[in-house]
Amino acid sequence: MQNETSLARRDALGLLAAAATPAAVVIGTPAMAKETISSVSSSIEENPALLEAYDRLNVARLERREAKDALEWLADEWRHLWPLAPEELLGGANADRHPGPNDDAERDIIGRHIKRDVTTLTKRLSPKFRQGHPEGVCFSVLTWEEADKHIEYWASLKPKGRTERALAKNIANREAAIVEARHKRKLAQKYFQETTALRQEAGVDQAIQRVTQAETAVLVACSDISQIPALTPNGLRIKAEAIMASGVFQTVKNSNGLLGEMARFVQSVINVAPTLAAAA
């Protein structure tokens, strides 16, 4: 995912720079712009390489849309079979707000966060908390690997006590903690096996891979378009479409500094290009 994001950012920057150059066509008065474009379009045909890359972009965008629709359909079809994690395995709340490499948030079959109905979680949550989260809460889920670490920790702990009674109590607490950790490990392993089997049966990995490949094809086509010169207003429109299709243009446009200024200028070109192409 990080590599895809980096690729998208590089493509967006290249597209911004590429669009800025042909955008010079529209600088000046409207009459000058129209005259220039009419003159150019009447004597020059669009770059065939750019048109070919645009065709690839359209094919890739269609495939991306169909792949995402198929993934959504898969989630709907398997929703009734997807199990919620046992309550004993639920950890911290709002796990969906803290994504990271060790993300252990509860998710559905295609990896979307699950927000649990908290009205039934009366043992672990206060009435005030339940009332304050009517939309549900996404919890972290204990994995069997984490349960193993808990077992190892408690097993290595050497209870101490100033009195025999205190020592006996601490020993009992350690044994109870080990029993609980082993119980949770069994639950976690069973949950993992069940969800893994369902994902394999549904073909989730293949469906996600299809989306990933389509996204990559879109980015490659956008990158190619950014590097191929445009010769007509239609080519300028193609470059504008590629900028929007790259996926990160909106973020760059809302940023400060030089990149934000470039992006906002390109947005103006995007807005004007269809009118100028029609006028030609």
Side-chain angles (χ1 to χ4, degrees):
M1 186 63 68
Q2 183 178 1
N3 290 338
E4 292 178 14
T5 302
S6 298
L7 177 59
R9 290 186 179 277
R10 290 197 303 269
D11 289 341
L13 295 178
L15 287 164
L16 289 174
T21 300
V25 170
V26 304
I27 295 177
T29 66
M32 290 171 58
K34 183 175 181 180
E35 181 180 354
T36 301
I37 291 173
S38 298
S39 175
V40 170
S41 60
S42 63
S43 59
I44 300 178
E45 294 184 356
E46 188 48 72
N47 191 332
L50 185 63
L51 296 177
E52 186 276 332
Y54 183 55
D55 287 340
R56 285 192 284 111
L57 175 60
N58 286 330
V59 170
R61 286 193 293 187
L62 176 60
E63 168 60 12
R64 179 175 64 178
R65 182 168 64 251
E66 292 180 348
K68 288 183 176 180
D69 287 345
L71 190 63
E72 294 287 339
W73 177 87
L74 185 152
D76 290 338
E77 286 293 306
W78 289 81
R79 180 178 289 110
H80 69 289
L81 295 175
W82 188 257
L84 293 175
E87 185 175 347
E88 296 97 319
L89 299 181
L90 298 183
N94 301 320
D96 54 324
R97 301 180 186 177
H98 308 288
N102 298 318
D103 185 0
D104 55 359
E106 186 174 16
R107 297 175 180 273
D108 68 5
I109 193 169
I110 65 171
R112 300 176 302 189
H113 291 110
I114 293 177
K115 289 196 172 184
R116 298 281 287 259
D117 177 11
V118 296
T119 58
T120 61
L121 304 178
T122 57
K123 294 183 179 180
R124 60 185 291 113
L125 301 176
S126 67
K128 182 178 180 181
F129 186 93
R130 297 197 304 272
Q131 293 172 4
H133 294 79
E135 75 286 357
V137 175
C138 180
F139 294 92
S140 62
V141 178
L142 181 72
T143 65
W144 60 270
E145 294 94 341
E146 287 296 322
D148 275 343
K149 294 179 181 179
H150 293 177
I151 295 172
E152 182 179 352
Y153 167 77
W154 286 108
S156 64
L157 195 65
K158 297 181 179 179
K160 298 179 180 180
R162 294 185 177 182
T163 65
E164 290 185 4
R165 181 178 179 180
L167 178 60
K169 181 180 179 180
N170 291 336
I171 292 175
N173 289 340
R174 185 193 69 168
E175 295 304 317
I178 292 175
V179 170
E180 180 181 8
R182 286 175 176 168
H183 171 66
K184 289 184 177 181
R185 188 194 188 283
K186 290 181 180 179
L187 289 177
Q189 189 170 33
K190 180 180 178 181
Y191 177 70
F192 172 79
Q193 291 172 344
E194 184 177 359
T195 53
T196 299
L198 285 174
R199 284 175 58 89
Q200 291 176 346
E201 184 178 353
V204 173
D205 290 344
Q206 294 87 335
I208 291 177
Q209 180 65 21
R210 181 187 175 188
V211 173
T212 301
Q213 291 175 345
E215 293 279 11
T216 300
V218 169
L219 292 177
V220 170
C222 288
S223 178
D224 291 345
I225 289 172
S226 75
Q227 299 176 55
I228 300 172
L231 305 180
T232 70
N234 186 47
L236 183 62
R237 177 188 59 79
I238 289 173
K239 284 183 173 290
E241 281 192 36
I243 291 172
M244 302 303 291
S246 65
V248 296
F249 178 74
Q250 191 63 36
T251 300
V252 176
K253 190 180 73 171
N254 293 333
S255 65
N256 296 320
L258 180 59
L259 286 180
E261 293 178 4
M262 288 180 60
R264 287 186 287 275
F265 171 71
V266 171
Q267 181 66 68
S268 298
V269 175
I270 291 172
N271 295 339
V272 173
T275 303
L276 295 177

